[in-house]
Amino acid sequence: QVQLVESGGGLVQPGGSLRLSCTTSGFAFSSAVMSWYRQSPEKERELVAHIGTAGDATNYAPSVQGRFIISRDNDQNTGYLQMDSLNTDDTGTYFCQIVIPQGGTWIDYWGQGTQVTVSS
């Protein structure tokens, strides 16, 4: 059974930092493409960052480029999102998504999300 559990969210002041984790099980994590998305009541769910299976290919939304770093530890079956210089626009629920090959196609799975609130 595929499971993804996000953690590390919380309340932080503008300019602060948080590190999100996505702990996974039930599949070959090293074969999964991983992404972080976020959603707030005012906005649609948006892609924040994306990382390839080996961790050497990353992409970021322009709004987080230079502030966030996505990474992964395939030995620990865990993905991370380091978030620095946070601002109020970064407030939202952050979701981990993985896409893995299954039955000749690609299937995506989502975690339950972790809340990030940036406020003074």
Side-chain angles (χ1 to χ4, degrees), residues 40-71:
S40 65
E42 300 81 19
K43 302 178 185 177
E44 295 183 353
R45 186 172 294 191
E46 63 172 337
L47 175 65
V48 174
H50 168 93
I51 187 167
T53 56
D56 55 349
T58 58
N59 286 289
Y60 298 90
S63 59
V64 307
Q65 181 78 48
R67 301 188 296 121
F68 291 11
I69 298 176
I70 187 172
S71 62

Side-chain angles (χ1 to χ4, degrees), residues 11-15 86-88 91 117-120:
L11 173 63
V12 63
Q13 292 186 339
L86 286 161
N87 59 61
T88 55
T91 294
T117 302
V118 184
S119 175
S120 56

